[in-house]
Amino acid sequence: MRSKIAGRVWKFGTNVDTDQIIPAEYLVTGDPAELAAHAFEKARPEFAGEVREGDIVVAEENFGCGSSREHAPRALIGAGISCVVAKSFARIFYRNSINIGLPLVEAAIVADDGDNLEIDFKSGIVKNTTKGVEASFPPTPAFLQKLIDAGGLVEYTKTQIKNMGM
Amino acid sequence: MTMTIAEKILAKKAGKSSVEPGDMVEAEIDYVMVNDITGLPAFEVFEKFDCQPLREKTILIPDHYVPNKDVASAEQARAMQMFAKKYDMPNYFPVGTCGVCHQVMIEEGFVAPGRLIIGADSHTCSYGALGAFGTGVGSTEAASAMALGKLWFKVPESQKYTVKGSLEKYVMGKDIILHIIGEIGVDGALYKSMEFYGSAIESLPLADRISISNMAIEAGAKAGIIPPDEKVFNYLKDRVRGDYAPLYADSDADYSEVYEYDASEISATVAKPSLPENTAPASELSHITVDQAYLGSCTNGRIEDLRVAAEILKGRKIASDTRMIVVPATKRVFEQALSEGLIKIFLDANAYVSGPTCGACLGGYMGVLAKGERCISSTNRNFLGRMGHKESEVYLANPAVVAASAITGRITDPSEIE
Ligand code: SF4
């Protein structure tokens, strides 16, 4: 993962549940690209058509609550989302995202749709360059960074297995 | 640095002298369990690793849709069987040898104080009743743990629940946890580890403590831990696999929240549809008729639960408009119930008795509710449509309330029919 990213904001509110991210009727595939075609289909019908590679999702508290479906972070990866910034995340969504390689940032940043965001993972600063405000966030724990850099838990596990000579 | 039980276990398993809430650790797993539903995706991920599974640490238990209810579930169960064969897995418990996964894990001696156990099933938190850190994970994580024997964790904050005093007759561990969830809500312990203390908890049999830890997830908790005592050590004699070392919280450990309850003020409690936090005393719901009474599951399918229900059902008949289904959680529970004459009591009362399975608990098969039907159930979830049609209703209660309600055909506090 790059240490700095910049992207355009898609803004959401509180308690965005996994049903909103990817409705249950599309859980017949695990393919990120196919899932992405239906991401936020009910909550933000324009999302799938207008989202661009590198865009950033910004939300309030408890992002990703509800079921444990790994399909939710997969759909966001498939849509090209580079990072989700939220005040807080639901536990299983957090785990699933990290495990499949979707960067998450726990920060309170003021933002609206279309604003430009810069995230510096090294310094732990997220800047809204459109509004001229910024917020800090705790650095990603070294272990999770390793996991994300490796491309998620499956890739990480493969590397570990190689290193252990199993 | 002082630590809670959860912190002690995670620190030890991560090879650190101490951890604090929010820390990320990579910890050694004692065991990883998958069931027939979560197993299949885990096996698919595992095959990408091109390695051997940690055979002794991996436990395979088909329970949700077995005996196979249809072709799709048959394929799932078969995938587990094939995986077990391919890698010559020693801890595979096929139909006829086992039962509901969490009770099997406990009975077979995998669960012991101080251990860190993960399961691709949310009620893995049940193991906290024996002083273990048990928590639910996803299938990908389970697969990775099967290969590496370790997994990453965020150290949760801990909450302390103290329950003092003694419970009235027919009030059980189930009522304590329903009462607590009724007060703190279904997100009252989100991300956190619940720890349970006090004279009421100490006096509870292990079976009741398991019901409490089992439902920690219904308050959003990551674990629900009870400090292990003589009852646990005695239970583990001749049963536990390997050594174990109990871990206890420091007396001045930090808890994010502290709650106190008086057991004598807790009555036989029912959680109304469609959330476990919707609680009310059973005595206030006596106008609600029930079409089905279900006794079983990882929450209340143990021999102690069956004894309580049999005592009430003995010499009585199930109400004519109500059906009762009794499912001992495991083969061992079934055998014990048979030898104690409990099965005969259930059959004489006109209850339907089945071999161990999760079936009805998750609305999978055998015991599915029709539109508008109501079930009084000893299980742990009463979500919309959990046991059948989306307009059917589930009321959660302890085994005594389930048995008493089966007799009267309406929700009944057992003290009413004594
Ligand atoms: S008995 Fe019910 S709650 Fe327990 S593991 Fe089976 S389906 Fe899940």
Side-chain angles (χ1 to χ4, degrees), chain B residues 256-267:
Chain B
S256 60
E257 282 91 17
V258 172
Y259 298 92
E260 282 208 20
Y261 300 92
D262 181 348
S264 65
E265 286 171 11
I266 298 175
S267 55

Side-chain angles (χ1 to χ4, degrees), chain A residues 70-84:
Chain A
E70 210 169 273
H71 305 69
R74 281 188 192 205
L76 297 183
I77 287 177
I81 293 297
S82 60
C83 182
V84 182

Side-chain angles (χ1 to χ4, degrees), chain B residues 33 35 37 63-64 99-103 121-124 126 214 218 294 296-300 329 357-364 379-381 386:
Chain B
M33 186 272 298
N35 64 40
I37 291 185
D63 61 352
H64 279 59
V100 173
C101 58
H102 304 303
Q103 184 59 19
D121 188 283
S122 60
H123 292 103
T124 304
S126 305
N214 176 270
E218 307 321 327
Y294 181 76
S297 84
C298 54
T299 321
N300 282 119
T357 174
C358 287
C361 174
L362 77 157
T379 54
N380 49 34
R381 283 188 175 147
R386 168 77 176 177

Side-chain angles (χ1 to χ4, degrees), chain B residues 235-411:
Chain B
Y235 178 81
L236 289 175
K237 269 184 202 148
D238 309 323
R239 182 189 305 270
V240 69
R241 298 177 188 229
D243 300 330
Y244 66 91
L247 289 170
Y248 299 94
D250 295 309
S251 56
D252 52 350
D254 259 335
Y255 292 93
S256 60
E257 282 91 17
V258 172
Y259 298 92
E260 282 208 20
Y261 300 92
D262 181 348
S264 65
E265 286 171 11
I266 298 175
S267 55
T269 301
V270 171
K272 301 176 285 180
S274 303
L275 283 177
E277 70 182 22
N278 268 339
T279 55
S283 56
E284 287 175 14
L285 303 173
S286 56
H287 56 286
I288 295 176
T289 57
V290 293
D291 304 282
Q292 179 168 303
Y294 181 76
L295 176 63
S297 84
C298 54
T299 321
N300 282 119
R302 281 168 281 282
I303 189 67
E304 293 84 350
D305 301 310
L306 269 52
R307 284 185 195 132
V308 167
E311 186 193 318
I312 292 169
L313 287 165
K314 190 167 189 172
R316 292 183 162 116
K317 295 275 184 227
I318 310 295
S320 55
D321 287 342
T322 306
R323 57 187 182 268
M324 182 170 189
I325 300 178
V326 180
V327 183
T330 62
K331 175 184 180 164
R332 288 197 196 196
V333 174
F334 200 122
E335 283 172 334
Q336 181 75 19
L338 203 56
S339 72
E340 290 182 21
L342 310 185
I343 301 294
K344 176 93 170 75
I345 293 173
F346 296 137
L347 293 175
D348 287 347
N350 288 340
Y352 172 88
V353 182
S354 124
T357 174
C358 287
C361 174
L362 77 157
Y365 73 111
M366 64 141 274
V368 174
L369 302 174
K371 181 177 176 179
E373 281 195 323
R374 252 180 243 127
C375 180
I376 183 95
S377 178
S378 74
T379 54
N380 49 34
R381 283 188 175 147
N382 57 353
F383 299 161
L384 214 67
R386 168 77 176 177
M387 292 182 80
H389 194 278
K390 66 181 191 297
E391 285 170 40
S392 62
E393 295 183 334
V394 179
Y395 290 74
L396 305 176
N398 77 29
V401 174
V402 169
S405 306
I407 292 163
T408 59
R410 53 181 177 75
I411 294 180

